[in-house]
Amino acid sequence: MNENVELVLKGKEKRRPIEVDGVKVGQGFVVIAGPCSVEDEKQTIETAIAVKNAGAQMLRGGAFKPRTSPYAFQGLGLKGLKILKRAKEETGLPVVTEVMDPRDVSWVSEYADVLQIGARNMQNFSLLKEVGRSGKPVLLKRGMHSTIDEWLNSAEYILAEGNHDVILCERGIRTFEKATRNTLDISAVPVVKKLTHLPVIIDPSHAAGHAYLVPSLSLAALAAGADGLMVEVHVNPDAALSDREQSLRPDEFSKLMEKIRRLEEVIRNIHDRD
Ligand code: PEP
Ligand code: MN
C-alpha cells in the first residue's frame, strides 16, 4: 500500500458511522435500493415506496447515466433529480445519486443526500476533488479494473479535500469469467476493513448482471462483514430503460430483505460467541 494514503488508513482516524439524514452507514447493515435510472415520476415513486415498505433505508436512482453507447438512455438530468426529491418527500428516504461531471457537483448536491462516483469515474481526479469540497457524503464505487490500492487512493483524494464522509462500494471487477457481468470481489470487504476505518458496502446488482444471482451475493456480503448493500429494484424490470436483467422486482426484494433480517440474527449470535 502506498504510504501516501494516510487519511484512509486505519489508525489515523477512528471507525465511526457516516450520518446521512439520520441513517448511519457503518452501524448495522444499511440497504440502499431503487432503480438503475430515474425514468419518470410514477416508476420512481412506486419503486421508492416499495423498497421503503420492504425495509430499505435509502433510495438510489441515476439521473446521469454512464452508458457504453452514446445512443442509449442517458438519464433525465435535472428533471430526474426533481423526481428523486419528490420520492424523498413521499417516503422520507435519503437519496443516493450519481454525479459524472465536476461542473455539476454543486447543483446536484442540492438534490442528493449522497453523491455517487461511478466505477468509470473512480479515477476522475478533478471529479474526486470537487466532491471532496462539496460537503456531501460520497459513495465511491470501485473501478471495474482498479486494484484496492488504487481505490483507496481515490478515497484519499476526497479526504484530502477535507471530506471524510466516504462510503466505499465494491461492485465487481472484470475478469475472464462471462457467466456474471463482473466478478464480485468479496475479499475486498475484509481487506478494506483491515486497511481502513471507512465503511464498505456491496453492489450485488452490477457485480452479478442477473437478478437471480443478487440474493446470493447480498447474503454473502452480509456474512463477509459488509456495512450494507446497494441493490437495483424496478417496479417493472422488463420495461426498465437500463439494467433490466439485473433489477429485482419489489416482491423479490422483499423476500431478500426478509432473508437479510434472518441472517443478521444468525450473524449476531456468531459474533456474540467470539
Ligand atoms: C449504477 O450504480 O447505476 C452504475 C452505473 O454503477 P457502476 O458505476 O458500478 O457501473
Ligand atoms: Mn445500473
Side-chain angles (χ1 to χ4, degrees):
M1 181 66 55
N2 183 333
E3 68 277 9
N4 291 326
V5 186
E6 286 183 6
L7 298 169
V8 305
L9 289 187
K10 215 167 187 170
K12 302 279 175 187
E13 218 183 302
K14 272 179 82 165
R15 228 176 116 66
R16 60 169 174 92
I18 292 172
E19 287 239 19
V20 185
D21 247 12
V23 178
K24 292 185 172 147
V25 183
Q27 185 175 304
F29 194 70
V30 170
V31 179
I32 305 166
C36 178
S37 301
V38 174
E39 298 167 4
D40 57 51
E41 183 161 326
K42 188 170 180 287
Q43 165 252 6
T44 304
I45 292 184
E46 281 179 15
T47 307
I49 292 171
V51 300
K52 159 100 184 188
N53 289 342
Q57 286 162 278
M58 284 199 242
L59 175 66
R60 65 146 288 143
F64 294 94
K65 296 307 303 174
R67 304 305 299 280
T68 302
S69 163
Y71 309 116
F73 177 62
Q74 301 285 307
L76 297 180
L78 174 60
K79 190 173 165 214
L81 295 173
K82 287 184 174 165
I83 292 173
L84 285 169
K85 199 170 176 183
R86 281 199 283 283
K88 183 183 180 186
E89 283 161 7
E90 195 73 34
T91 59
L93 296 176
V95 163
V96 182
T97 198
E98 179 163 356
V99 60
M100 290 169 57
D101 188 320
R103 293 168 296 186
D104 296 337
V105 169
S106 69
W107 68 271
V108 172
S109 297
E110 291 171 28
Y111 295 89
D113 296 296
V114 176
L115 295 170
Q116 177 176 328
I117 300 297
R120 292 155 189 81
N121 270 318
M122 191 207 84
Q123 286 191 317
N124 180 337
F125 300 117
S126 26
L127 182 60
L128 297 175
K129 286 182 193 168
E130 203 57 44
V131 296
R133 293 189 282 259
S134 68
K136 286 279 170 184
V138 176
L139 189 150
L140 177 65
K141 289 211 168 183
R142 179 180 180 181
M144 61 188 81
H145 13 62
S146 299
T147 64
I148 290 173
D149 185 281
E150 288 162 341
W151 187 21
L152 295 184
N153 269 281
S154 291
E156 186 81 11
Y157 265 89
I158 302 168
L159 270 71
E161 292 297 325
N163 185 352
H164 289 223
D165 288 348
V166 175
I167 303 157
L168 298 166
C169 179
E170 158 67 39
R171 46 78 74 207
I173 50 177
R174 281 211 169 151
T175 67
F176 53 80
E177 183 53 63
K178 294 273 197 292
T180 50
R181 181 175 181 181
N182 291 286
T183 297
L184 178 64
D185 182 8
I186 199 79
S187 340
V189 173
V191 170
V192 157
K193 290 265 170 193
K194 185 174 164 60
L195 293 173
T196 164
H197 63 283
L198 297 173
V200 58
I201 68 166
I202 293 279
D203 171 349
S205 308
H206 292 87
H210 303 280
Y212 82 93
L213 290 169
V214 169
S216 314
L217 300 189
S218 300
L219 297 175
L222 171 57
D227 295 293
L229 293 176
M230 183 156 83
V231 185
E232 285 187 340
V233 179
H234 194 289
V235 271
N236 182 11
D238 290 342
L241 296 181
S242 58
D243 288 346
R244 67 177 64 135
E245 285 187 11
Q246 67 197 34
S247 297
L248 297 185
R249 291 191 316 264
D251 62 309
E252 294 171 322
F253 179 66
S254 290
K255 274 192 205 131
L256 170 59
M257 289 300 287
E258 187 51 45
K259 286 184 182 164
I260 285 171
R261 281 188 279 262
R262 279 160 46 203
L263 183 59
E264 268 184 302
E265 210 171 303
V266 172
I267 286 173
R268 254 194 307 275
N269 284 336
I270 291 171
H271 291 313
D272 282 352
R273 283 190 220 163
D274 273 353

